[in-house]
Amino acid sequence: AMSVLGTGTFSGSETGITLTGFSTDYDTYLITLSDIKPVQDSKDLRMWLGTSGGLLTTDEYSNLNSNLYSGIGGTTFASASYSNTINQRINLAGMGNDADYGGGGVIWLHFPTDPVGNNMYSGQFSYMSFDDKYYQSYFAGGLDEDYDITQVKIGWQSGEGANGRVTLLGIKHA
């Protein structure tokens, strides 16, 4: 069974949306990102996980990003891996903010409240970049230690979100 645990909206002045609702009642969590667009051109969307003590903003994240883009000049693939970063980068090229631009995708959180192993995540995000290319970004990673996750923040590397909705869903296997 899937339950909506929280939702937040970018409306022009928010640098990020923080959602809570994690508990041992759910095995896996899904975050949906809909109609996401920055106020300013060429901005990167990020994810931070957190505990009851606050967001984890030190060198806690290790991850892989892959990007496929198509546009003027053809199609290209790029990937990068990172260790000991301060957040998870959702897109690898700055998002555009023109009227018909925007993006959307999903993030899966694995073991956020279960002591089975380190917290892991994976996801994909589709968007139009500031340089008129369609991007498909895939990412996966985890935290370098096991934490009891109680919150997640989706926000911008810098700047604010013009519009968009972020929703947290919990999934039970029983």
Side-chain angles (χ1 to χ4, degrees), residues 7-8 10 16-20 48 55 150-155 166:
T7 190
F10 287 109
I17 294 171
T18 301
L19 298 173
T20 60
W48 295 263
L55 293 172
T150 61
Q151 58 183 312
V152 60
K153 177 181 176 182
I154 304 296
V166 179

Side-chain angles (χ1 to χ4, degrees), residues 110-127:
H110 314 285
F111 312 123
T113 60
D114 189 341
V116 168
N118 288 8
N119 316 104
M120 296 184 290
Y121 48 82
S122 57
Q124 70 84 27
F125 189 71
S126 302
Y127 63 100

Side-chain angles (χ1 to χ4, degrees), residues 11-173:
S11 60
S13 62
E14 299 81 14
T15 58
I17 294 171
T18 301
L19 298 173
T20 60
F22 293 90
S23 74
T24 56
D25 293 341
Y26 301 97
D27 302 306
T28 301
Y29 293 84
L30 174 64
I31 301 167
T32 63
L33 310 168
S34 304
D35 195 26
I36 303 290
K37 186 184 305 183
V39 169
Q40 297 142 345
D41 221 5
S42 189
K43 296 297 177 181
D44 291 331
L45 196 60
R46 307 290 173 116
M47 176 182 74
W48 295 263
L49 299 174
T51 67
S52 59
L55 293 172
L56 301 170
T57 58
T58 58
D59 300 341
E60 300 287 345
Y61 303 80
S62 293
N63 50 74
L64 168 71
N65 284 76
S66 297
N67 244 359
L68 177 65
Y69 73 82
S70 179
I72 299 170
T75 300
T76 303
F77 175 80
S79 67
S81 62
Y82 306 94
S83 295
N84 303 318
T85 61
I86 61 170
N87 56 40
Q88 169 62 51
R89 191 172 178 179
I90 295 175
N91 60 309
L92 283 180
M95 287 184 66
N97 69 340
D98 288 355
D100 56 346
Y101 287 7
V106 296
I107 303 169
W108 292 96
L109 299 178
H110 314 285
F111 312 123
T113 60
D114 189 341
V116 168
N118 288 8
N119 316 104
M120 296 184 290
Y121 48 82
S122 57
Q124 70 84 27
F125 189 71
S126 302
Y127 63 100
M128 182 69 121
S129 72
F130 68 96
D131 58 354
D132 297 326
K133 294 178 181 162
Y134 293 101
Y135 279 83
Q136 180 67 42
S137 179
Y138 299 95
F139 54 92
L143 297 175
D144 295 334
E145 294 182 33
D146 187 24
Y147 291 96
D148 184 12
I149 299 301
T150 61
Q151 58 183 312
V152 60
K153 177 181 176 182
I154 304 296
W156 303 98
Q157 169 191 12
S158 64
E160 297 87 28
N163 59 270
R165 187 173 51 258
V166 179
T167 303
L168 175 66
L169 299 110
I171 300 170
K172 290 183 184 182
H173 292 290

